[in-house]
């Protein structure tokens, strides 16, 4: 089954404790992206990757890191999480941005206390 | 002013009603227009995908794009309780994609 898989689904952590949210897709998509979803603000892009070893900032990159060492994986790293990063996070992939729609994972709900 | 405006609702309709969901946008360069449906505790899933102005129909769903007015709509005919979800509009050009905040729809039996 074609899918984008995120783990974990739920995560509660404390301020400053490094964490990684994994994302993997099995559709051989070149484009991958991370979004956060907050009430009233919709989906906002954090980082995106056009291909292996190619990443770029989205609209809200502060406090986040990503890497794209393999085509299928695109982990999101929070080196020192803060409470304002409490949010619902989605990973998405696409054959190519702009001309193809996104396929989303089922989300990771992160709470930072 | 947000680049994409979408009424968050909530919108509640009886089963069988026609539902109209709308978004306005400010960037006239957008070329691709999408509607996503998001069920509770799930990721958004693509519902409709259109390029430029015009109408597109898929079963009970019709997407309309009016680029001259910078206005897009999604119509749901004969709405069903299973249509209860949050609907997100989205639009893109090049590497830029923007989403509306979503409209929460409830269809009551």
């Amino acid at each position: 089954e074609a899918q984008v898989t995120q783990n974990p689904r739920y995560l509660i952590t404390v301020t400053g404790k490094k964490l990684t949210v994994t994302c993997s897709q099995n559709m051989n998509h070149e484009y991958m992206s991370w979004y956060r979803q907050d009430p009233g603000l919709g989906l906002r892009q954090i980082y995106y990757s056009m291909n292996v070893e190619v990443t770029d900032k989205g609209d809200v990159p502060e406090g986040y890191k990503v890497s794209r060492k393999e085509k299928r994986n695109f982990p999101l790293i929070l080196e020192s999480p803060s409470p304002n990063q409490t949010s619902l996070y989605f990973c998405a992939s696409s054959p190519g941005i702009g001309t193809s729609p996104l396929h989303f994972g089922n989300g990771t709900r992160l709470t930072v206390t | 002013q947000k680049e994409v405006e979408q009424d968050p609702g909530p919108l509640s309709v009886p089963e069988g009603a026609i539902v109209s969901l709308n978004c306005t946008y400010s960037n006239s360069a957008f070329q691709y227009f999408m509607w996503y449906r998001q069920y509770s505790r799930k990721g958004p899933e693509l519902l409709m995908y259109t390029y430029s102005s015009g109408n597109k129909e898929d079963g009970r769903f019709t997407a309309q794009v009016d680029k001259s007015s910078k206005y897009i709509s999604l119509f749901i005919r004969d709405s069903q309780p299973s249509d209860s979800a949050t609907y997100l509009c989205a639009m893109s050009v090049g590497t830029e994609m923007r989403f509306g905040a979503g409209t929460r729809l409830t269809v009551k039996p």
Side-chain angles (χ1 to χ4, degrees):
Chain A
E1 180 189 352
Q3 59 186 1
V4 177
T5 304
Q6 294 179 230
N7 280 297
R9 291 292 311 275
Y10 301 91
L11 181 57
I12 301 174
T13 190
V14 296
T15 300
K17 186 176 182 181
K18 181 179 179 180
L19 65 91
T20 299
V21 183
T22 64
C23 173
S24 181
Q25 52 93 3
N26 62 1
M27 295 168 279
N28 201 36
H29 286 168
E30 292 190 347
Y31 180 88
M32 297 186 75
S33 181
W34 276 102
Y35 290 86
R36 60 178 289 173
Q37 187 176 39
D38 301 289
L41 298 177
L43 286 162
R44 293 180 293 166
Q45 190 178 54
I46 302 170
Y47 268 95
Y48 66 93
S49 170
M50 301 292 284
N51 213 326
V52 176
E53 301 291 2
V54 180
T55 63
D56 211 342
K57 296 178 181 179
D59 298 316
V60 288
E62 294 78 19
Y64 305 95
K65 283 177 59 177
V66 293
S67 69
R68 187 92 182 273
K69 292 182 170 52
E70 304 166 279
K71 198 171 188 178
R72 63 183 292 126
N73 296 323
F74 191 44
L76 179 69
I77 302 154
L78 284 73
E79 299 241 333
S80 183
S82 61
N84 65 11
Q85 293 178 299
T86 292
S87 186
L88 181 57
Y89 291 86
F90 288 101
C91 180
S93 73
S94 171
I97 188 59
T99 57
S100 303
L102 292 169
H103 299 254
F104 285 88
N106 278 327
T108 296
R109 184 165 292 282
L110 171 65
T111 302
V112 183
T113 60
Chain B
Q1 183 190 6
K2 292 181 183 176
E3 200 162 1
V4 179
E5 298 276 2
Q6 182 177 9
D7 187 338
L11 183 61
S12 182
V13 301
E15 183 175 355
I18 296 175
V19 176
S20 173
L21 304 169
N22 312 293
C23 287
T24 60
Y25 62 94
S26 57
N27 186 353
S28 58
F30 287 134
Q31 292 181 306
Y32 295 89
F33 303 89
M34 291 142 277
W35 286 94
Y36 287 85
R37 178 175 61 195
Q38 185 176 15
Y39 291 115
S40 181
R41 287 187 285 277
K42 293 285 192 179
E45 57 178 346
L46 182 70
L47 201 56
M48 299 288 282
Y49 180 67
T50 57
Y51 173 73
S52 199
S53 284
N55 292 1
K56 184 175 182 179
E57 189 173 320
D58 184 1
R60 296 185 294 110
F61 299 90
T62 299
Q64 285 186 351
V65 175
D66 183 347
K67 289 193 73 177
S68 62
S69 301
K70 300 194 192 72
Y71 188 86
I72 69 171
S73 301
L74 177 70
F75 297 95
I76 307 174
R77 291 183 299 281
D78 188 25
S79 55
Q80 303 295 309
S82 58
D83 295 328
S84 298
T86 297
Y87 291 80
L88 309 171
C89 64
M91 45 210 74
S92 70
V93 59
T95 58
E96 182 177 354
M97 177 172 280
R98 290 287 180 265
F99 288 85
T103 300
R104 181 183 291 182
L105 170 68
T106 301
V107 181
K108 296 187 174 181

